[in-house]
Structure formats: C-alpha cells, structure tokens
Amino acid sequence: MGKRILAVDDSKTMRDMVSFTLKGAGYDVLLADDGVNALNELNGQMVDLVITDINMPNMNGIELVSKLREDPKFRATPILILTTESDDDMKNKGR
C-alpha cells in the first residue's frame, strides 16, 4: 500500500485537483472539507502527510494543525499548508 495523505480544503475543486494529482502519483488520499471533518476522517487512522488550507468553516487550518500537534500520534506528522492566503499575519501563524 502507498503512503496515505489527508487533504483538507473547503473548495471541492481544490480537493479534486489535489486528490487527482496525488492518486496519479500512487498515493492513497483521504479528503475532508474542514478541520472538524478532517479529525473525523482520521478517527484512529494514521497518515504520512497532511495538506490543509487555512480558511475553512467550522475549524480552520491553523486550529487543525494545533489539534493534530496536541495528539501524540500526529506530533511528528509532516503538515503542508496550501493556501491562497496573502495576509502576512496568517502566513506567520501557519509557520
């Protein structure tokens, strides 16, 4: 089985594009449309990477990263933030 990646974005178009690209490269892809659903999707599953947007309803990407880092299972999981956010303060929070 290939590496598993969780992609989180409230835009269906972005989720579809990321999923298509990653699956084409041989990855197993889980999808969620916000942080709350991402945590539900993980529900006991491990992933090798999380890719998340920042601006999402219910739980944004920054809050999701914080929740994942609180969980010992995901403390060392690589997380990429993929966003069109241009605000410097938000970019710094993402770092």
Side-chain angles (χ1 to χ4, degrees), residues 3-16:
K3 299 229 180 225
R4 179 176 287 164
I5 298 174
L6 171 63
V8 188
D9 199 305
D10 60 325
S11 165
K12 182 176 179 350
T13 302
M14 283 301 293
R15 285 193 314 273
D16 289 347

Side-chain angles (χ1 to χ4, degrees), residues 1 6 8 24 28 41 45 48 51 60 64 73 78 81-82 85:
M1 183 167 87
L6 171 63
V8 188
D28 181 23
E41 186 68 34
Q45 297 188 69
D48 298 290
I51 302 172
N60 69 38
L64 173 60
K73 293 183 305 215
I81 295 178
L82 178 64
E85 179 62 58

Side-chain angles (χ1 to χ4, degrees), residues 6-76:
L6 171 63
V8 188
D9 199 305
D10 60 325
S11 165
K12 182 176 179 350
T13 302
M14 283 301 293
R15 285 193 314 273
D16 289 347
M17 183 176 63
V18 169
S19 177
F20 177 80
T21 302
L22 293 173
K23 285 180 178 180
Y27 295 99
D28 181 23
V29 180
L30 302 175
L31 299 172
D33 60 0
D34 64 29
V36 172
N37 289 328
L39 294 175
N40 289 335
E41 186 68 34
L42 287 172
N43 193 24
Q45 297 188 69
M46 292 301 296
V47 292
D48 298 290
L49 173 69
V50 174
I51 302 172
T52 185
D53 186 17
I54 290 178
N55 296 314
M56 299 178 290
N58 302 316
M59 179 187 294
N60 69 38
I62 302 299
E63 295 166 324
L64 173 60
V65 169
S66 294
K67 291 283 187 191
L68 290 173
R69 291 300 184 229
E70 289 172 6
D71 186 332
K73 293 183 305 215
F74 298 106
R75 204 163 278 150

